[in-house]
Amino acid sequence: MTSASRLIPSRAERGGDDPIFALNAEAVRRRQAGESIVNSTLGALFDEELRLATLPAVAEAYARISAERAAAYAPIAGPPAFREAVVLDLLASSDLRAHAAAVATPGGTGALALAVANFLEPGQALLTPSFYWQPYETIAEQAGRGLETFAMFTAAGRFDVGALEQALALQRERQGRALLFLNTPCNNPTGYSLDAADWSALRPVLAAAAARMPLSVLVDVAYARFGAGDPLDWVRALEPVAERLTLLAAWSGSKAYAQYGARVGACVVVERDEASRGRIVGALSASCRGLWSNVNHLGTLAVSECLTEPALRARVEREREALRALLHARVELFTRLARAAGLRHPRYEGGFFVAVFCAEPARAAETMRQRGVFVVPIAGALRVALCSSPLASVPRLVEALAEALRA
Ligand code: PLP
């Protein structure tokens, strides 16, 4: 008997290689061999010289934490100051703040895992729009849950609220509850941010569904600090229905503090009833213990410092604004050139990614790869990471996209 055969059958064909990392590895190898490469695959912000962009103020925050404090275990639900600071960061301008609590998690990913484990029964499926971050599926599968989708866009390119309504009705019949993941603003992979009109249409649908079954809505705000509008628009939009459903947010320090490897995040829960909120925090904390035990103490303490110490906070905001402007210049150039080239993509005003609609994404991505331009093929589109594409590379990127779509 070979050792591989001892894997349980349902795990035998999973494979750990993320296709995005495989494409990135090839792009890096070819660039190192001297080829001129545009690598628009990775979801991290690189500066114009292709160095990973960081915030010096965050490095200073790390330096302020003593070795002894950092070495100790973090409390299971995370350091209390961090948890409070995250709630304030997310909900400061809203009355919902008084009804919210946060549990620290390893990145936003941890918050997604907590939601899946606690708001769906085994065998049930989370619901999300048809363009979604692929690890949603892995997270669900890992937990013995599934993932169902609804068409994200109408023919006119707006968020398809009708499709969501139907999908919620089906989930009510099939599983009697629903957990909806909405990644906005700056959806990965499409770049789309729900706007005021989308939220107005969405609110009554959520309210009606919540009247018929337990409904939890998780807003994945991983990219919120890099959008064009107010990063807290979604809070105001959901305030009127927050009482009827459980509102969750996956808060992430990865992009906002350019700390992808620190694994700092939080699951924020808004629940008006204090006793229910306490039970939810208890359930989430128990899952933390069972999944990863404790979070990165140094990372959560340093980010806490960035959130709460006024001078440091101001520096972080200034430094982040410079990175946002860097990205925004690329977004503006891309959308202008893409319009001129006739590329079709969802409304894109900011964020790390945009998706260009495409009938044969695998073939188009392959054509581009041969020419040294790397993008990620996904169902019905090519995902383009402007975050990792310097401004000077954007014209070549758009040309390669236009050419591959014509071929
Ligand atoms: N949600 C989306 C849509 C993402 O793209 C990512 C990271 O790429 C995350 C959540 C979670 O990131 P992290 O776990 O690093 O906070």
Side-chain angles (χ1 to χ4, degrees):
M1 190 185 277
T2 65
S3 57
S5 69
R6 292 187 203 109
L7 266 176
I8 55 171
S10 61
R11 301 291 158 116
E13 306 299 332
R14 274 178 113 198
D17 238 10
D18 184 310
I20 299 175
F21 286 99
L23 278 170
N24 174 60
E26 183 185 329
V28 169
R29 186 173 45 72
R30 282 172 54 181
R31 182 181 285 144
Q32 278 168 354
E35 208 179 326
S36 164
I37 294 289
V38 178
N39 182 4
S40 303
T41 59
L42 271 195
L45 185 57
F46 288 82
D47 68 15
E48 296 299 301
E49 281 73 46
L50 286 177
R51 285 182 307 247
L52 186 71
T54 56
L55 304 177
V58 178
E60 187 182 313
Y62 275 95
R64 288 186 189 178
I65 313 296
S66 77
E68 205 175 323
R69 259 183 105 200
Y73 280 124
I76 289 169
F82 170 78
R83 297 169 61 192
E84 281 166 30
V86 166
V87 169
L88 265 184
D89 184 54
L90 205 62
L91 301 170
S93 57
S94 167
D95 292 344
L96 296 181
R97 189 175 88 199
H99 311 290
V103 169
T105 57
T109 304
L112 304 170
L114 290 188
V116 164
N118 288 283
F119 292 90
L120 290 173
E121 293 285 3
Q124 296 183 338
L126 72 89
L127 185 63
T128 201
S130 49
F131 287 97
Y132 61 90
W133 187 45
Q134 201 285 329
Y136 284 179
E137 203 168 337
T138 313
I139 291 165
E141 192 200 3
Q142 181 63 29
R145 273 72 168 178
L147 176 142
E148 288 172 4
T149 62
F150 58 94
M152 182 162 176
F153 298 114
T154 64
R158 288 214 77 88
F159 191 80
D160 195 341
V161 178
L164 168 62
E165 189 171 19
Q166 281 176 15
L168 284 169
L170 275 176
Q171 286 218 320
R172 179 167 62 88
E173 274 170 31
R174 218 176 303 129
Q175 58 187 46
R177 62 167 55 241
L179 169 64
L180 173 65
F181 278 11
L182 292 175
N183 175 209
T184 188
C186 314
N187 169 261
N188 174 8
T190 64
Y192 193 82
S193 300
L194 293 177
D195 65 10
D198 292 323
W199 285 118
S200 300
L202 204 68
R203 251 190 320 266
V205 168
L206 296 179
R212 296 194 187 102
M213 66 174 162
L215 173 65
S216 313
V217 177
L218 178 141
V219 186
D220 178 350
V221 294
Y223 299 94
R225 295 288 166 189
F226 289 90
D230 180 342
L232 301 182
D233 274 349
W234 67 273
V235 178
R236 276 181 289 282
L238 287 173
E239 266 168 4
V241 290
E243 213 167 332
R244 308 191 203 177
L245 41 84
T246 297
L247 181 58
L248 303 161
W251 185 96
S252 168
S254 300
K255 285 67 174 160
Y257 294 86
Q259 283 294 309
Y260 311 91
R263 314 309 304 135
V264 174
C267 185
V268 178
V269 49
V270 179
E271 176 71 54
R272 273 187 194 264
D273 180 64
E274 199 176 340
S276 305
R277 191 163 67 246
R279 273 196 300 277
I280 293 172
V281 168
L284 299 185
S285 304
S287 286
C288 292
R289 191 56 156 163
L291 287 165
W292 50 74
S293 213
N294 317 70
V295 290
N296 174 352
H297 205 185
L298 174 59
T300 44
L301 290 172
V303 169
S304 243
E305 190 81 3
C306 293
L307 283 163
T308 55
E309 207 277 300
L312 203 57
R313 188 180 170 105
R315 270 185 59 201
V316 165
E317 282 171 6
R318 261 199 319 277
E319 291 172 6
R320 188 196 287 131
E321 183 48 37
L323 298 190
R324 210 186 65 82
L326 177 92
L327 181 61
H328 199 66
R330 299 175 191 170
V331 173
E332 271 188 356
L333 181 62
F334 177 88
T335 48
R336 187 156 53 75
L337 296 179
R339 193 176 326 115
L343 302 184
R344 286 176 46 246
H345 62 81
R347 176 165 50 71
Y348 178 45
E349 292 138 355
F352 279 29
F353 307 101
V354 63
V356 174
F357 294 123
C358 171
E360 293 178 82
R363 189 196 49 74
E366 176 54 25
T367 305
M368 293 175 71
R369 191 164 73 101
Q370 283 166 12
R371 286 166 203 175
V373 181
F374 286 73
V375 295
V376 178
I378 56 173
L382 295 168
R383 191 191 78 164
V384 181
L386 267 303
C387 55
S388 60
S389 315
L391 195 63
S393 72
V394 171
R396 177 169 165 204
L397 180 59
V398 172
E399 256 168 52
L401 283 161
E403 214 174 287
L405 288 170
R406 267 197 305 272

